[in-house]
Amino acid sequence: GAPVASAVAETTTGQTYAISWSSISGASGYELQQASDSSFTNPLTMQVAGLSQPFTKTVSEGTAFFYRVRALSACGATGPYSTALRVAVVPVPDPNATTININVPLGSTTPVTWQIFVPGVAGGTTTFIATVDKPWLSVTPVSGVVPPTGMLLTMAIDPSTLTDGTWTGTLIVVYGSTTVARSVATNGNTPPFVVPVSVSLVSPVTPVALNTPAASAVIIPAVGHLAGLSSTWRSDVRLANTSALLQKYRVTFNSGDGNAAELKSTSVSVDAGATTALDDVVRKWFGTGSLGESSNGALIIEPLDGDGKVSPVPSTTTAVSSRTYNASSNGTLGQFIPALPFASFITKSANSFLSLQQLAQTSTFRSNLGLLEASGKSASVLVSVFNDLGVKLADLPLTLRGGEQRQLNAFLSDRGLTLPNARIQVGVTDGEGRVTTYASVVDNNTGDPFLVFGVPVGGAGATRFVVPGVADLQGGSASWRTDVRLFNGGTIPQNATLTFFPTGDPAHSVSKSASINPGEVKALDAVLQSLFGLSNTGGALHVTTPSAAPLVVTARTYDQRPGGTVGQFVPAVAPSDSVGFGGRSLQILQTEESARFRTNVGIAEMSGQSAVVEIEVHLPDSKITPVVRVPLAANEFRQLPILGSLNLGALYNTRIAVRVVEGDGRVTAYGSVIDRETGDPTYIPAQ
């Protein structure tokens, strides 16, 4: 038999990594080969008595090393080779790099040292003080003088005390100052030089077969590392364990081509109450992108039991989220992508459809469609396009191979359709596969995307849908507004009341009526002005019906700029998704307050009764959990800069928990994470 081999997919020069493999019965030893290409031309061959072999490589440019192993017997026979592994060894960061994320194998005690360029101050030589905010990060010298042309400092990371995942700290260089506050200080003239620095402790990756995920699995349908001419698309994942015990997970990357016999899998341990960051997960954990290549696919996350086997029971104490974004020297433009329960993927059924709305194909927007089969079995799918009145304009039948992810860029344009308000419906017509769908709507001028995920059509519905965070706000160069879409997935017209509750002032609400025909998607662009005649205000929008209605309510809140838009997709929340006194806590992942991002937290009461909300801020490297209490009147909405108000300096990978501690009200919540360079917000719904 062939051994099953594993190794980290990427590491930094000078780090020691191991090639490990499973035991083969009857083997007297093993033959391990190392080569510089996947064909194993002129390999270095060695015999190993045990089940692992360490390597340490020193490189000045990214280099790939390939490994395979086979069993030997005492009689001289050999078994088949294992699936080949690739380990990418990369150099330390360039001194001028502004994004620093260093990989080391989990368990490493070898420090990583590199130099970083610190710019000077125009006009002459000045003093500086350099500090870091994490114990595993250091800088030398810590003070001195810097010439106008700048200078090099030496930085070092000690990974010996760190566990799985990405850890981020900050280098802060203050000019002309003698003291440095914990929050970034300035001397009143020259702003400080601030650089976030990340290190990822990565686990070995093992090739695994394409199999049906467990019922406990959650799946992020789109992750990637895609290299472009002047930017790179990447995916950051957050994995939270809110239980009181350590939890292990199997994390599997499926490249989605539908032909792969094997996927890549690793394991991640998350401490009790902790959140593990997996930044640039496709590159850092699975090795694609280290040497300029690209890949995208799906990420499958499954909880493991105490014996290391996949648990069949869905976890109620696990929360997962992701953000896929375009990273450039001028900041990021990105979109939230949810982790979906495997059980929510649709199968062949007469009444099983997923609907996507708020799509467009115009001179200013284009829509890309994504489809994923997750069970490993093929499925025939029908994709149908409708206009805002519910008239079908096109059908596209296609077949997905088992495990295939299909990305159909400019989907509407390729069908010759120009639509400012389109809806797409997806159903499985044949086969045993399980499918989900999503769309990415991209502003052609700014390149800013927002993700729309498929929701089931029909069903019993609800009597209330709440869109927190609608706005019509003018300030400085910003012009925020909200576009709303109401889809009637039923067979009869639905009469709805739309009520706007201003921020912090729910007593002065305004209501309007609307009727939505079967199959119609009613568009309410710039809703506060067009429907309510309001401006320079924000709050929450409640959509109510006399009886349960199969409505789908969505919104997009965005900054309308002369050169295009940057914004966020905001799905409405039904009462079943809210929490009340004695219920669970809502979890908001992926929040940050740093030189890169700032975070607002929105909370809204949605049942018409008052409540007191407790907001807990869980920090990744602190035993202290700040708590803020916020009273909410009936139907009140508030948006708060929770992390910034704590004055704790840079906060990375924070988890915010929201729960009701008093009152009969029911609450929903979200986070809005805003890139400080581009101003692009990413909406993170609570879960």
Side-chain angles (χ1 to χ4, degrees):
V4 177
S6 62
V8 296
E10 180 188 309
T11 188
T12 302
T13 181
Q15 292 289 312
T16 298
Y17 60 92
I19 310 299
S20 303
W21 54 88
S22 60
S23 175
I24 298 297
S25 177
S28 61
Y30 297 88
E31 178 186 276
L32 175 64
Q33 289 190 336
Q34 173 190 284
S36 58
D37 59 50
S38 58
S39 299
F40 286 83
T41 306
N42 300 319
L44 171 65
T45 302
M46 60 199 81
Q47 292 193 6
V48 182
L51 297 176
S52 68
Q53 177 66 37
F55 292 89
T56 305
K57 302 292 183 182
T58 303
V59 302
S60 57
E61 61 181 22
T63 306
F65 297 91
F66 296 85
Y67 299 91
R68 62 184 183 183
V69 63
R70 62 181 178 178
L72 305 175
S73 72
C75 64
T78 59
Y81 281 110
S82 66
T83 299
L85 303 175
R86 191 191 86 159
V87 177
V89 182
V90 298
V92 295
D94 182 270
N96 294 302
T98 56
T99 300
I100 299 172
N101 192 340
I102 293 169
N103 261 31
V104 302
L106 180 64
S108 171
T109 59
T110 304
V112 179
T113 303
W114 76 102
Q115 290 188 309
I116 187 168
F117 178 76
V118 174
V121 177
T125 298
T126 187
T127 59
F128 75 90
I129 293 177
T131 62
V132 293
D133 60 357
K134 303 296 178 185
W136 46 264
L137 186 62
S138 62
V139 60
T140 54
V142 296
S143 63
V145 294
V146 55
T149 54
M151 63 181 294
L152 293 173
L153 301 183
T154 299
M155 299 202 67
I157 287 174
D158 178 5
S160 59
T161 61
L162 301 178
T163 56
D164 304 45
T166 301
W167 299 82
T168 303
T170 316
L171 165 68
I172 305 169
V173 179
V174 178
Y175 298 99
S177 178
T178 56
T179 61
V180 179
R182 180 161 178 77
S183 59
V184 176
T186 71
N187 64 0
N189 297 312
T190 304
F193 178 69
V194 180
V195 179
V197 177
S198 298
V199 58
S200 293
L201 281 292
V202 297
S203 305
V205 171
T206 304
V208 295
L210 175 63
N211 290 312
T212 300
S216 59
V218 294
I219 299 173
I220 301 173
V223 293
H225 183 101
L226 304 170
L229 293 176
S230 59
S231 62
T232 302
W233 286 91
R234 60 190 66 176
S235 299
D236 293 349
V237 172
R238 298 292 182 266
L239 176 55
N241 167 27
T242 64
S243 75
L245 299 173
L246 180 143
Q247 176 67 60
K248 292 185 177 181
Y249 300 89
R250 183 169 75 177
V251 180
T252 303
F253 175 60
N254 174 9
S255 62
D257 62 14
N259 291 318
E262 292 170 334
L263 289 67
K264 297 178 180 179
S265 184
T266 189
S267 63
V268 175
S269 296
V270 184
D271 287 335
T275 303
T276 294
L278 306 175
D279 282 359
D280 200 0
V281 64
V282 172
R283 173 183 169 176
K284 297 297 182 179
W285 268 262
F286 299 101
T288 298
S290 310
L291 307 179
E293 66 278 74
S294 296
S295 182
N296 63 287
L299 202 68
I300 304 164
I301 299 170
E302 299 165 296
L304 303 178
D305 61 21
D307 296 325
K309 298 179 180 179
V310 174
S311 172
V313 181
S315 173
T316 59
T317 56
T318 297
V320 181
S321 75
S322 73
R323 179 175 182 259
T324 292
Y325 57 95
N326 184 352
S328 70
S329 58
N330 298 319
T332 67
L333 297 170
Q335 56 195 343
F336 168 80
I337 301 180
L340 306 174
F342 179 53
S344 71
F345 284 56
I346 61 172
T347 59
K348 179 184 175 183
S349 171
N351 297 310
S352 183
F353 298 96
L354 294 174
S355 178
L356 306 107
Q357 63 197 50
Q358 208 126 3
L359 311 184
Q361 184 67 50
T362 64
S363 61
T364 53
F365 288 96
R366 67 184 186 274
S367 296
N368 302 325
L369 180 68
L371 299 158
L372 172 66
E373 198 294 311
S375 71
K377 301 174 183 178
S378 64
S380 297
V381 174
L382 181 65
V383 181
S384 301
V385 182
F386 300 84
N387 66 12
D388 57 342
L389 298 178
V391 177
K392 184 186 290 188
L393 303 179
D395 278 335
L396 175 66
L398 52 86
T399 299
L400 297 175
R401 298 183 295 272
E404 182 181 2
Q405 182 202 58
R406 184 84 60 91
Q407 182 96 356
L408 302 169
N409 292 331
F411 177 76
L412 297 174
S413 176
D414 285 351
R415 272 129 214 108
L417 299 172
T418 299
L419 294 167
N421 180 20
R423 186 178 72 86
I424 289 177
Q425 185 167 291
V426 173
V428 178
T429 58
D430 200 8
E432 300 180 69
R434 299 182 67 98
V435 173
T436 195
T437 185
Y438 58 89
S440 182
V441 184
V442 185
D443 185 298
N444 291 327
N445 295 312
T446 63
D448 182 42
F450 67 92
L451 186 107
V452 179
F453 41 91
V455 297
V457 176
T463 60
R464 183 180 296 267
F465 307 84
V466 175
V467 181
V470 297
D472 186 282
L473 296 168
Q474 306 287 331
S477 59
S479 178
W480 290 92
R481 61 193 65 182
T482 300
D483 295 346
V484 171
R485 298 291 184 268
L486 309 174
F487 168 59
N488 178 5
T491 58
I492 61 173
Q494 296 291 340
N495 295 316
T497 300
L498 285 75
T499 304
F500 170 65
F501 294 95
T503 301
D505 188 18
H508 291 87
S509 62
V510 183
S511 296
K512 296 289 183 179
S513 297
S515 180
I516 310 103
N517 292 321
E520 179 187 5
V521 179
K522 184 173 289 295
L524 301 171
D525 289 344
V527 63
L528 293 185
Q529 284 195 40
S530 63
L531 186 64
F532 298 102
L534 300 173
S535 60
N536 289 320
T537 187
L541 180 68
H542 290 219
V543 180
T544 56
T545 55
S547 58
L551 297 182
V552 179
V553 181
T554 60
R556 179 176 182 251
T557 295
Y558 57 94
D559 180 10
Q560 179 66 64
R561 302 174 177 178
T565 66
V566 293
Q568 55 191 359
F569 180 71
V570 184
V573 179
S576 58
D577 299 315
S578 63
V579 295
F581 178 70
R584 64 186 179 89
S585 295
L586 294 171
Q587 307 296 328
I588 306 172
L589 310 184
Q590 218 126 11
T591 59
E592 181 173 321
E593 193 77 20
S594 70
R596 305 183 299 192
F597 297 97
R598 60 185 177 87
T599 298
N600 293 323
V601 174
I603 51 176
E605 200 292 312
M606 55 185 296
S607 69
Q609 302 183 79
S610 63
V612 176
V613 174
E614 188 174 83
I615 303 174
E616 295 180 339
V617 179
H618 295 264
L619 308 175
D621 49 4
S622 174
K623 295 181 179 180
I624 299 174
T625 302
V627 177
V628 177
R629 284 201 170 196
V630 181
L632 289 178
N635 299 313
E636 184 176 5
F637 165 80
R638 296 181 67 181
Q639 183 167 280
L640 307 166
I642 293 294
L643 298 184
S645 68
L646 297 176
N647 294 318
L648 293 177
L651 301 175
Y652 304 96
N653 185 29
T654 56
R655 173 172 61 88
I656 294 175
V658 178
R659 67 188 182 114
V660 177
V661 293
E662 292 180 26
D664 297 322
R666 297 190 65 83
V667 170
T668 186
Y670 67 85
S672 182
V673 182
I674 303 161
D675 186 290
R676 292 187 185 273
E677 294 290 329
T678 64
D680 180 42
T682 300
Y683 182 88
I684 312 291
Q687 54 185 300

